[in-house]
Amino acid sequence: MGIASKRTFWDKIINKVYNWSYNRGYIDAFYETSLTKGIRRLAELTHFFDERVIDGITNGVGVMSFFIGESIKYVGGGRISSYLFLYLSSVSILLLISYFLNQ
């Protein structure tokens, strides 16, 4: 009875070692779960940030400058003095706004 139980115990240990070595110490599973999926999630987050935030800011500035340019085109009469007055007044308004916001 003692020998049979020792034999069963060693068979269990040998089976565990065999399964561990057959699966290469589960390194592939660890590599896939920790590195591959982690890097893929980081890439998806970076892609989302680039596509939504960075491109959104760039496209917003482009569309805003287009509409401001179109509105200035119809406001001005083609004289440089009127364009200069419009530019200086808008800059002074923006400076006043920034001055009051920073106080």
Side-chain angles (χ1 to χ4, degrees), residues 56-100:
I57 291 171
T58 306
N59 292 338
V61 168
V63 168
M64 186 175 65
S65 66
F66 172 75
F67 284 123
I68 289 173
E70 287 295 315
S71 64
I72 289 174
K73 179 172 76 172
Y74 294 115
V75 169
R79 298 183 64 182
I80 294 177
S81 60
S82 65
Y83 290 130
L84 186 60
F85 174 73
L86 182 66
Y87 174 72
L88 290 176
S89 62
S90 63
V91 168
S92 62
I93 289 171
L94 288 175
L95 286 175
L96 284 172
I97 291 171
S98 69
Y99 174 74
F100 286 120

Side-chain angles (χ1 to χ4, degrees), residues 41-60:
R41 286 187 199 124
L42 180 65
E44 289 172 357
L45 177 68
T46 306
H47 181 262
F48 173 79
F49 183 77
D50 178 49
E51 192 174 83
R52 301 292 182 192
V53 177
I54 303 298
D55 290 347
I57 291 171
T58 306
N59 292 338

